[in-house]
Amino acid sequence: MLEILKILLVAFFSVAVLLPVVRYMLRTISPAKHAAPITADELKYIQKQDVKLTIAYFFFACVLAVFFAGVLALISSIIHTQKGQLFLLTPNFNAMFAPGLLLGMVFALLPLRIIQHTLLGHDAELYKTYIQRTEGERSTKKYSVIFVLLLVIAGAVAWFSLRWYVVIDENGLEVNNLLGEKRAYAHQQIQSIHYLGTEGQYLVTFDDQTNLNTSYLKPVQLEIIALLAEKSGHRVIR
């Protein structure tokens, strides 16, 4: 529960930083030229409504970021599970947070769009005029382009994150990285095994000086470390 709250907090601050940047870019690139004027009182009022929508977006983005991070971690375990595997290590919740956050920020726009008229009520047209004045007359189309672009980027990041996994058996280790490159190591190629101070987290160093840090993999069971230590002839360094 504490871990989820921490991730939610990180997601909130990430959205709080990125969202104003995107909106500032729109205002700079496409300033309004022919939008209907808004009085000072109307402007002050609609800005409060804009804050309401922003808070709703924060909520949806943070919740969906946690949801997608968990789903990606689960999918990774499912798609790489095969018969004959002794142990399988796939990315954990923390490792999937970055692609989950990207997906959450993109898909949060959908529920926000659905409830926008409910939140604004009779002020929907006034808000549309406000957006046209601050972010350009074609801001809706530009947001659609940004949505598609972010969706493609988030999908690519998620796809690459699902390619990282480690298989351990009696003969050695098979490490598959984010780029799809596969490296196989015999147990005898292990140079050292360091315990990182947290249960399930180890740093395994091989003869070619390649490191396998399990901090962002699902917790390594003691049986796995016992197997690696036995087969490699190295004790775990604490």
Side-chain angles (χ1 to χ4, degrees), residues 53-68:
L53 290 175
T54 302
I55 293 174
Y57 176 76
F58 282 158
F59 172 78
F60 289 129
C62 293
V63 172
L64 288 175
V66 174
F67 171 76
F68 281 118

Side-chain angles (χ1 to χ4, degrees), residues 89-237:
L89 301 178
T90 55
N92 58 22
F93 184 87
N94 290 337
M96 291 300 187
F97 172 68
L101 176 60
L102 286 174
L103 289 171
M105 291 181 63
V106 174
F107 283 97
L109 295 172
L110 299 180
L112 181 66
R113 187 63 181 266
I114 293 173
I115 70 166
Q116 179 173 323
H117 286 283
T118 302
L119 289 176
L120 296 177
H122 298 294
D123 299 321
E125 286 300 320
L126 180 60
Y127 182 76
K128 182 179 179 180
T129 303
Y130 165 72
I131 291 297
Q132 288 177 343
R133 285 188 59 82
T134 56
E135 298 178 4
E137 299 169 11
R138 298 181 179 179
S139 58
T140 302
K141 292 183 178 180
K142 291 183 175 63
Y143 272 123
S144 299
V145 173
I146 293 175
F147 175 83
V148 174
L149 180 62
L150 289 177
L151 184 60
V152 171
I153 294 174
V157 172
W159 183 73
F160 278 107
S161 67
L162 291 174
R163 305 182 75 181
W164 180 31
Y165 67 98
V166 179
V167 177
I168 301 175
D169 56 27
E170 293 286 348
N171 299 318
L173 298 84
E174 180 183 288
V175 181
N176 297 266
N177 64 18
L178 299 175
L179 300 178
E181 298 173 344
K182 184 183 298 184
R183 292 187 178 184
Y185 297 96
H187 291 296
Q188 291 72 26
Q189 292 179 272
I190 295 176
Q191 190 177 76
S192 64
I193 305 173
H194 287 80
Y195 175 63
L196 298 179
T198 302
E199 184 178 355
Q201 296 184 7
Y202 298 86
L203 179 66
V204 181
T205 304
F206 299 98
D207 288 342
D208 61 358
Q209 301 306 307
T210 299
N211 295 320
L212 172 62
N213 190 331
T214 68
S215 298
Y216 290 96
L217 295 171
K218 291 177 181 176
V220 178
Q221 303 172 17
L222 291 177
E223 291 85 348
I224 299 177
I225 294 301
L227 174 66
L228 296 180
E230 178 185 356
K231 294 292 185 178
S232 66
H234 295 288
R235 297 180 62 181
V236 178
I237 302 173

